[in-house]
Amino acid sequence: AQSVTQPDIHITVSEGASLELRCNYSYGATPYLFWYVQSPGQGLQLLLKYFSGDTLVQGIKGFEAEFKRSQSSFNLRKPSVHWSDAAEYFCAVGHGNEKLTFGTGTRLTIIP
Amino acid sequence: GAGVSQSPSNKVTEKGKDVELRCDPISGHTALYWYRQSLGQGLEFLIYFQGNSAPDKSGLPSDRFSAERTGGSVSTLTIQRTQQEDSAVYLCASSLVKGFHEQFFGPGTRLTVL
């Protein structure tokens, strides 16, 4: 069965520092991979997605993610975080009948 | 409206009561999804509608949960005889067409069962 693991429940970084959020997936076929962000009191917003092709995917708000098949990973990165990036981040794998399986999320805190 | 809307934003109910949660997808979106987000957990898929096809109900946790989509637009998620473990945020999403196009999420309905 497909699954998504986000090993970091909570990460704290300083404003301006680089960021990497980890995501590992388990899926038998070529995965469709997504990163969503959820700000307090708001719905989820798609940051980026990987379907095929170039394994380095650029998204909105300066985020990028790299698909590594050998490691079953799809880590999210940003070179310099801003205070407004504080939110909950969810990795997801798409499969079957267009369903998404989500990880449990990583809460990002930004300190000045 | 430009986005997916859900109502109510918050719902507090007593154990054993029935509740209805509403989702208005983006106009023209043929696919509609319901997810449940429990405290400390990721999002759990509940049900998926695509056009006039039979819905995929494989994620519904029990027969107390049901959903319908009228006229290919508005959807209602009904929970009968609510239990405390039903307390969660219920999220609705829609997408333009079938096939992993971006899912647009609503703000959710926070359900609290006392």
Side-chain angles (χ1 to χ4, degrees):
Chain A
Q2 55 283 337
S3 65
V4 177
T5 301
Q6 293 181 248
D8 303 305
I9 296 173
H10 184 203
I11 284 183
T12 300
V13 298
S14 299
E15 190 169 13
S18 64
L19 171 70
E20 183 169 30
L21 302 183
R22 295 183 291 167
C23 172
N24 292 94
Y25 67 90
S26 172
Y27 185 57
T30 300
Y32 300 96
L33 295 162
F34 306 80
W35 274 100
Y36 281 84
V37 60
Q38 185 178 33
S39 298
Q42 299 192 20
L44 279 76
Q45 180 183 21
L46 181 68
L47 285 176
L48 47 77
K49 60 190 176 187
Y50 170 80
F51 284 4
S52 64
D54 193 346
T55 56
L56 184 62
V57 179
Q58 301 297 320
I60 62 171
K61 305 183 180 186
F63 285 92
E64 66 177 26
E66 186 171 12
F67 171 56
K68 293 185 177 180
R69 184 186 299 275
S70 61
Q71 299 177 19
S72 297
S73 70
F74 189 56
N75 294 348
L76 182 71
R77 302 193 294 247
K78 186 170 184 178
S80 176
V81 297
H82 185 263
W83 64 267
S84 61
D85 293 325
E88 187 107 24
Y89 291 80
F90 292 93
C91 181
V93 60
H95 54 91
N97 193 14
E98 286 79 36
K99 293 180 287 189
L100 292 178
T101 295
F102 286 84
T104 51
T106 297
R107 183 160 61 92
L108 176 64
T109 298
I110 308 294
I111 56 176
Chain B
V4 177
S5 61
Q6 293 185 244
S7 61
S9 56
N10 281 283
K11 176 70 176 180
V12 180
T13 190
E14 294 179 347
K15 178 181 174 181
K17 300 285 189 183
D18 298 352
V19 295
E20 287 189 349
L21 312 180
R22 177 188 168 102
C23 172
D24 282 272
I26 293 172
S27 178
H29 280 196
T30 60
L32 187 146
Y33 310 78
W34 282 98
Y35 295 88
R36 178 169 70 175
Q37 184 177 22
S38 302
L39 188 63
Q41 309 228 351
L43 279 77
E44 172 190 14
F45 165 80
L46 296 177
I47 189 169
Y48 160 64
F49 296 89
Q50 171 57 47
N52 295 321
S53 302
D56 177 351
K57 305 179 181 179
S58 60
L60 295 178
S62 79
D63 59 7
R64 296 185 296 105
F65 287 72
S66 63
E68 63 177 19
R69 189 178 184 191
T70 54
S73 181
V74 172
S75 177
T76 302
L77 177 69
T78 301
I79 309 173
Q80 295 178 309
R81 305 180 303 281
T82 53
Q83 303 295 314
Q84 288 184 331
E85 60 263 29
D86 299 335
S87 297
V89 176
Y90 290 83
L91 291 165
C92 175
S94 69
S95 66
L96 183 58
V97 294
K98 180 180 179 180
F100 293 122
H101 289 255
E102 178 179 352
Q103 292 186 23
F104 293 82
F105 282 80
T109 294
R110 181 175 297 278
L111 175 65
T112 302
V113 182
L114 302 177

